[in-house]
Amino acid sequence: MSAPPAQSAIATTASPTWADVNRDVIRTVGMPGDKYFAWMCLVALTLACGAAAWAWQIWVGIGAAGKRTPQMWAMYITTFVFWIGIGHAGTLISAILYLFRAKWRTSIYRGAEAMTVFAVMTAGLFPLIHAGRMWFAYWLLPYPNQRYLWPNFKSPLVWDVFAISTYLTISVVFFIVGLVPDIAALRDSATGIKRKIYAVMSLGWEGSDQQWRHYRRAYGLLASLATPLVLSVHSVVSFDFAMALVPGWHSTLFAPFFVDGAIFSGFAMVLILMLPMRYLFDWYAYIADKHLDAMAKLILVTSLVLSYFYSCEVFTAWYSGDHFERASVFAKATKEYAWAYWLMYSCNSVTPLVFFWRKARTHVPTLYIVSILVLIGMWFERFNIIVPGLGHDFYPYTWGTYYPTVTDTTIIVGSFAWFFILFLGFIRVMPSLSIVEVKEVLPHPLKHGHH
Amino acid sequence: MSVMDRRSFFKVVATTGAVAAAGGCGPSAEQLIPYVVPPDNIVPGIPAYFASVCRECPSGCGLIAKNRDGRVIKLEGNPDHPSNTGTLCVRAHAGLQGLYHPDRFRGALSGGKPIEGDVAEKLLADKLGALAKARQGGRIAVVSGLETGSLGRLMDEWVRLLGARPRIAYEPLGYEALRAANRVAFGRDAIPDYAIGDATYLVSFGADFLETWLNCEGYTADFSRMHAFYQGKQGTFVHVEPRLSLTAANADEWLRNAPGTEGLIALAMLKIILDEGLQAPGTDLATLRAAVRAADVEGAATASGIPADTIKVVARDLAKSRGGLVLGGGMAASGSTATDALVAINLLNAAIGAVGTRVRFGSASPFGKVSPYSDMVALTQAMAGGQIELLVLVDVNPVYAMPPKSGFAEALGKVPLVVALASRPNETTARAHLVLPILHPLESWGDYMSEEGVLGLMQPAMGPVQIEGKAVAARATGDLLLSVGRQALGLEEGKGPLKWSAFQDFLRDEWQKGSREYGGSGPFGDYWEAALRRGGVWRAPGSPTVSLRPEAGRLQAGVATLDGEGSHVLVVYPSSRFYDGRGGDRPWLHEVPDSITQVAWDSWAEIPAETAQKMGITRGDLVKLTSPHGAIELPAYPTDLVHPGIVAVAMGQGHKYPGAFAQQGNAAPGTVSQANFLNVGANPIELLPAAPDPASGGLPHLAVKVAIARTGGRRPLAIPQAQFNQDDREIAQWVGLGPARELELRGKPPEHASRPGMYPAVKYPEYRWGMTVDVDRCTGCQACVLACQSENNVPTVGKAQVAYGRIQHWIRVERWQEGTAAKPVNMFLPMFCQHCEIAPCEPVCPVYAAYHTKEGLNGQVYNRCVGTRYCGNNCPYHVRKFNWFNYTWPAPLDLQLNPDVTVRQLGVMEKCTMCLQRIEAAKGTAREAGRKVADGDLQTACQQTCPTQAITFGNLKDGGALVSKLSGSTRSYHVLEELGTTPAVTYLKKVVRAEPAGGHDQGGHKA
Amino acid sequence: MTTTSVLGVFAHVDTTLQAIRDLRAKGFSDLTVYTPIPVEEIEHEVEKVRPLSKVRLFTLVGALTGTATGFFLTIWSSLKWELVTGGKAPVSIPPFVIIAFELTILLGGLASALAILVLGQLPRLKPSPTYDPRFTLDRFGVAVACAPDKVESVQSLLSTAGAEEVRR
C-alpha cells in the first residue's frame, strides 16, 4: 500500500526520512521530566479521591449517590455512555479509515487507539460503580454453575456485557498487533535491560517477508471485523434506552443517533489529546494542518448529522401525537433541566459550525475550545436523555428533580483521572506515533530517482 | 364452679390456638421458644390469634392480634366486633409501634432515676395511706383516659375507698358540645350513634367522620354502604366545612363555609323545610317553628358565603329524600356557638324524622362518658391553689394536650407528689416525680364498651416486651392499683374491697355480674371462653323514645366570636394520623402521608393561596402564627382548598418527647441525621385560649384569629406526590352517575384483553392472582399502607429520604384532583405493583431477578437482585422501591418483623408481592384439605383492613370469584392501559354526581 | 547437504527488488527479505511463487465457532431455566442474534491474531543469524540460503544489484 511519493500525505517542506521517523518517535519514549511528574501527581491525587468516594458509596450504599425514584439511573450511566462514545474514534480510524485507505489516519491512529482502549476501560468501571450490589456484578456473566443460574439474554444489559467486552478485547488485540513492529524498532535502538524487555514484547519481530505477509492479511481481516463491531457497540448501548418504555427512550432512532454522537465526541477527544502531543513532542512534521483540517471536517459533518437527529427527535415527538412523548420533550426544553437541554444544543449543533471556515479548521485554539465544548455537549446529551427523561415520564406522582451529591460527582471526576493516568503512562513507554505506518506514507527510498 | 387459674385457663384457650399467649404471658418469647419440650403446647412457627380491643382512641374497635412465636406481629380488625367489623385504621395498625416502642420504660423512675418497682409502689402507697388516714382524701386527684369498662369501675372504687376527688376521665377530644346540645334538645346527657349506613342523603356540618369523629372506622364502612355506587344507586353526601378535609374530599358536594356559621346554615335549612312544609310527619312543629323565628336564609348565605340557592336545594333534597341524616362535629362542635349550632342540627334531624331512626340513643357512644375539659381546668386551679397533694395520672398527657395558658404544667410544680402511670415517656411523665411503668393494652387484661351494648374483652396477646433480652418491668394498671390500694389502706388479699389478687380476677367477677345482661345462660366458664374467642359480647341496642324539649326552640345561633386581632381565623383540626397527638411517637404514622396534602413527617399550616401570593409565601417557607395566647412556627402549605379567611393546622405534632429514640431516631448511614426525629412539627393547641366554652365546658378549638408572618427561614416539606393534576393521563378515572347507571343496566364490560398482542398467550396452570380496586369506594384513609407496612416488613426511612423520593411504602394512596378549586372532584387511588402480564420490568433484568410466576405474579427474587435498577426505570407506575441504604429497626421494633417475609438488604429492589406469604399459607391449608384455594380463603393485608372494601383479591381464572366479576365491571379500566402492560390489577372508575368543570367524559381511553 | 546463507543489505526499494529478481532468475528461490515496513512491490515479487496466506481460514473458523456458541449458549440456557419475562417466549431468537453476533466478532478476531503468531512463527526466541537491527530502521535485507559452493556467485549477484554490504 505504498504511495507514489508525489502524493505523499505528509506535506512539509523538508519531508523527514525513515531514520528521522525512528528518531522522532523513539525520543518520546524514556525518562520524562519534572513537569510530567507534576501532572501525574495531580491526576493520581484526583484518582485517589475518586476511589475513596467509591469506597464510601460501597460502604453506605448506592444512596450516597443522588439517585431516587424515578431517576434510578443518573450520572453514572451518563458518564458510562459518554466514555463508550469516546472509545469509538480509535477503532473507527484504525479500522474503517484503514479499509478506505485514508492516508491522513496514519499519524493519529496509534494515539486514537490507545485512547479507545483506555476509554473503554474507564467506561467498563461504571456498570460496577452503578450496581446496587456491585459485589454480585459477576452474575451478569454466563459462568457455568450446578444450579443452572444463567443471565437473562433478553436483557439489554447482558447485551452490553457482551458488546463491550468484545469491543475491548478486539480493540486491545488490534492495538497490540499494530504495536509489535514498532516495539521491534524500539528494541533495536535500545540497550541493556530496556532492550531485553522490548525484545520480549516485540515477540522477536524481524520484519521478514514471512512475518509481513500473514501480518498484513490478519490486519486487514481484523479491520473488516472491527468495522461492524464499531457500529454495533454503540447501537447495543443505545438499546439500553431504545428497548425501554420510557418516553424519549423508546425510539428506533437511537442506534444511528448514538453511533454518530460517539464518532463526534471521539474525534473531539482525539484533538484534545493530539494537539498537546504535537506541541510537546514537536511532531509538526507528522501531524500537519492537513490532519487537523480532516478531523475538523469530520467533526463538522457528524455535528450536522447529530443536529438532524435532534430535530428528528422533536419532530417525531410532535408528529406521533403521543401525549407522553410530547410532554417529555416539552419538559426537557422548559422545565428544571432546560439549561442542560439548551447547553447541549449550543455545544453540539452550534459551535462546530465555525468549521465551515477553512481558517478555523486549522486554528489550534479554536479547535481546542470547540473540542472541549463538544465533549461537554455530548456528556449533557446523555444526561438529558437519562435524568430529565426519567424525571418526567408516564407517572406524574413521581416526577421530580435529581440532585448530584459529593460522592457521585467525585467518582465521575475520578473516572477522568483514571483515563488520563493510563494515557499519560502509555505515551512514555510506547511509541504513540506508528513508526511503520508513518514510514509507509513517506517517500520510499529509491536509488534511480522516481519514475 | 372453681375459679379457673391462669394456667389452666390457657390450657382451655390453647385449643382455640391461643398457644402463644402462654408463651407470651410467660417470662418471654425468647426464653420459651428454644425449649425442647415447649410448655402449653407452643408450636414454633404456627401463629396464634387473640381477640382484643384497640385502645389507640376511645372508639374501641375490636381487633385480632396475630402472635407468632410469642410476639404480636400484626393487628387486624375483629370481624365479629360490631363497631368496626374486621377493619382497622392507620392509628390502630401503628399501635404495634407503641407496644414495641424503643423508648418504653424499662422500669420505675423516681425523679428520672431508675428505682425498684416495689419501692416506687410503696412510695405511692404510703403517701396515699397517709392522706387517707388523715381524712385528707380530698387532696388526692386521679386523672385517667376514658375507661368505659371494668378498669374504670375499679379506679372509681379505688378513688372511693381512698376518699379521693372523683376521677377525671380526660379526653382531649371530648365532644362536650355534642352532649350539651343533646341535653338541651333531647334532655339526654349522651352522644348517640348515627346510622350513616341507613341514610340516603347525608349532610355533615364539619363532622370528619371518615377521619376521627366518634366511631370513625365504623362510620367509614357505613359511609361506603350508603354512598358507594351499587346496582346503579348511590347515596348523596353534602359536607359543610371551611377546609377540604378528607371527609370533604369524599363528598358529592363540598360547601366551603366561613368558620363558625354552621348554626346559621342549619337553621336556614330548617326554616326552608318548615316554610315549604317538607318536615316529616309527627314532628314537634311548635318547637321547630320557635327555633326558626329569627332564622334568615339570606343572612345565613351572606355570613357563610354559601349561595342561598345552594342552601335551599340541599334543604329540599335532604327533606325529600326521606332518608336524610345530619351530622355536626369538627368545627361545628367547637367554639362559642357550637352548642347552639348542634342544637340546630338536632332540630334539623328531628324535622326530617331522623331522630330515633338514624340518630340512635339506644347504642350511645362511649364519648358520652368523658369528663368535660372544664373539670381539668378546675383541677388545674386546685393544683395551683395547693389543694392537691397527690396527683395520679393514668396514661394521659395533659401537659401536651392542654393549652399552655391553662397553666397545667406550672400547676404540676405545686403538687408535692405527681405519679404518672404510663408505658412510654411523654411531656407529662417528664414532669412526674414518680413514673410507674404500665403494660401496653396488648399485654394486659381488660374490657371496653365501645358503644352501648357492645362490650369488648381484652386478653394479653403476648407477654411484656423484651428489650435487649430483658422484659420491661411493667405491670398492668389494674394489678398496680389493686396492690397499691391494698398497701395504702392496709387491706389484705382475699377479703374486703380490693380482694382480688390480680385485675384478671376482678375482671372475671365483673363479667360474671354482667353476664345476664348479655344473655349469658349456662356455666360462666363457657360464657367467658366464648367471649374470649369472640373478643367480647354484644346485645341488640335498646331504642329509647326521644322527644324534643321546648328549650331547644330557644337557641340563638350566631357567628362564633373569636379573640385576637389577627388577619385569619385559626382552624385547629384533629389529625387523621395522630388523633389528638397520642400517635405522635409512632414512626409509621409520621411516614404515612396525609391524604389531602400528601405531606409526610412534620406539620404544616394550610394558608389560602391568595394570602400566600400576597405575602410571597411559597410551600416550605417557615411562617409564624401568632394568637393572643401564643405563637408557633411551622412550614407553610399554600392551598386553594381552604376558605380564604382561615389558616388550618392539624393537631398531634410538635411533641417534646424526652426519649432517646424520639430525639435521634435511627438515621441510616450516609443519610442526614434525624435530629428531633419524632419531635417535629408544631402544636396548634398552644395558640388556643385555656378558658372552657361556658355552654358546654369543652375546649374551643375555633376561638382565635392569628397573624401570619414570614420568618424568612425555610423547612421544605416531605411530599411524595409531585402534583395532584394528572395531566390528562387518566390514571384515576371517573364516570357520571347517569352514564354509570346506563352502563350498569345494559352496558357490556370493556374488553381489556382484545388488544392485539405480539407475544404468545401466557399460560397459568392453576391460579392467576389478581386484584380490583374501586376508586369509587376508596376514601383515602391510608389504612392499607400501614397494614402492608406491618405485614411486609417495610422500613420507615425518615423525612429527608421521603422528601427525596425514596419512600419505601409498597402501596401508596394517591390523590388526583379534577374540576375547579371551589368544586373539586377528588379521587383516591391506591397504587401498588400491577403485576402486569406483559411486565416492562421483567425482560430488562439481566439476572432474572424479576420474572413472571406461573400464578401470574410479578416475582422479585431479592437475593438474585444485583441492583441495576433497570426495572425501576422501566416500570411506568414507579411502584418498585430500591433499598438505597441498609434500613434498620432499633430494638425492640425488630420484634414486630414478620418472620414469613424477608427483610430486604442494601442494594436490592423490592415491591408489592400480593402478600405471597399469605397465598402460600392458603395453598398449604388447601392442600391439606385436598382442594384448590377457594375464593375468600385468603385476603391480602391491604384488602383485609380496607373499611370500604375497595380492594378485592382472588383468582382471576375462577370465573365465580368476586375479583373476576368486578374485573368485568362496566366501570373497570387499567391504569395507563394504552401501554399494553395488561396489569393483573383492575381499577373501577369513581362515580361522580356533579361532573367536574372542564372534565371530559372518561368513558373511553386514549387511542 | 549443508547450506550457508548470504545476506545483502540494501538502502533502496528498487535495488532490493532488482536483487530478488536476479536471484530468482539464477534459480535461488530460498530467500528471506527483511523490510522495515511492508513494501507492496517487494511483497508482490515474493508472493508470486507462494500460495495465498492461510490467515483467512483461521478467521473463518473462529467466526463460525463464535456464531454457533452464541446461539447454543442462549437457547440452551433459556431451555434449562425456562422463565417467562415480559410475556416473551423463553427462547426468543431476535435478542439472541446480538449475542451470536458479538461472539462471532470476538472469536473471529482472536483467531486472526492467533494466525499471526502461528503462521508467522512468533514469538521467536532468538534472532535469526541473518537479521540486522537496521532492518527496523531504514535498511532492506535479502538473505539467500545456498550451497557453500554457490556463495561467491550469490555475493556478486547481490553487490551488482546494489547492496551496500554483503556478508555471509
Side-chain angles (χ1 to χ4, degrees), chain A residues 12-79:
Chain A
T12 46
T13 46
S15 126
T17 66
W18 287 15
D20 300 342
V21 176
N22 282 50
R23 187 199 62 225
D24 292 344
V25 174
I26 288 164
R27 75 176 142 74
T28 67
V29 180
M31 210 48 193
D34 303 349
K35 237 204 213 119
Y36 174 86
F37 280 114
W39 278 108
M40 266 305 213
C41 294
L42 184 69
V43 175
L45 194 68
T46 324
L47 180 57
C49 296
W54 189 10
W56 165 250
Q57 176 183 288
I58 293 170
W59 177 248
V60 304
I62 201 77
K67 298 183 173 45
R68 62 190 289 278
T69 309
Q71 286 107 331
M72 292 207 171
W73 289 1
M75 294 210 299
Y76 293 154
I77 299 298
T78 303
T79 319

Side-chain angles (χ1 to χ4, degrees), chain B residues 117-314:
Chain B
D118 42 14
V119 180
E121 284 176 31
K122 191 161 184 322
L123 281 173
L124 171 57
D126 294 351
K127 184 76 176 173
L128 285 168
L131 286 166
K133 268 193 205 61
R135 295 264 172 278
Q136 294 283 318
R139 305 178 76 81
I140 306 172
V142 179
V143 180
S144 78
L146 179 60
E147 286 292 348
T148 60
S150 308
L151 183 59
R153 286 195 290 285
L154 176 63
M155 282 193 281
D156 293 337
E157 175 66 4
W158 196 78
V159 162
R160 191 185 58 76
L161 290 168
L162 290 162
R165 299 163 67 101
R167 172 178 67 103
I168 298 179
Y170 172 57
E171 283 296 336
L173 298 174
Y175 304 109
E176 293 88 347
L178 265 174
R179 278 163 72 189
N182 292 336
R183 284 197 297 269
V184 174
F186 307 117
R188 293 187 154 268
D189 184 19
I191 295 176
D193 173 39
Y194 296 89
I196 293 171
D198 301 353
T200 58
Y201 196 103
L202 182 63
V203 178
S204 160
F205 288 91
D208 56 334
F209 62 92
L210 295 179
E211 293 151 272
T212 62
W213 192 66
L214 302 181
N215 177 20
C216 49
E217 186 67 4
Y219 287 165
T220 308
D222 293 354
F223 173 69
S224 74
R225 238 174 69 223
M226 72 86 46
H227 188 262
F229 180 79
Y230 179 66
Q231 292 185 341
K233 283 195 250 19
Q234 182 190 46
T236 314
F237 169 36
V238 179
H239 188 76
V240 185
E241 197 178 357
R243 63 177 281 275
L244 185 95
S245 63
L246 184 60
T247 313
N250 282 283
D252 297 301
E253 188 158 17
W254 166 47
L255 303 180
R256 194 185 68 186
N257 68 315
T261 58
E262 291 81 1
L264 295 175
I265 304 166
L267 273 187
M269 288 185 176
L270 184 58
K271 185 175 184 1
I272 293 156
I273 291 174
L274 296 177
D275 292 356
E276 305 187 3
L278 298 169
Q279 70 278 12
T283 47
D284 172 359
L285 271 175
T287 316
L288 295 177
R289 287 244 167 75
V292 297
R293 239 184 292 101
D296 154 27
V297 180
E298 291 308 323
T302 39
S304 66
I306 300 173
D309 298 344
T310 315
I311 299 177
K312 287 201 183 83
V313 172
V314 172

Side-chain angles (χ1 to χ4, degrees), chain A residues 50-63 76 124-141 143 161 411, chain B residues 846-847 862-869 882-884 905-909:
Chain A
W54 189 10
W56 165 250
Q57 176 183 288
I58 293 170
W59 177 248
V60 304
I62 201 77
Y76 293 154
L125 292 177
F126 278 94
L128 290 179
I129 295 170
H130 166 87
R133 300 204 293 175
M134 52 80 68
W135 48 93
F136 288 136
Y138 67 92
W139 285 350
L140 271 73
L141 304 172
Y143 64 94
V161 171
I411 290 177
Chain B
V847 292
Y862 302 130
N863 51 6
R864 178 67 172 168
C865 178
V866 176
T868 67
R869 302 188 293 289
F882 188 71
N883 285 268
W884 302 104
Q905 68 146 288
L906 165 71
V908 305
M909 194 63 79

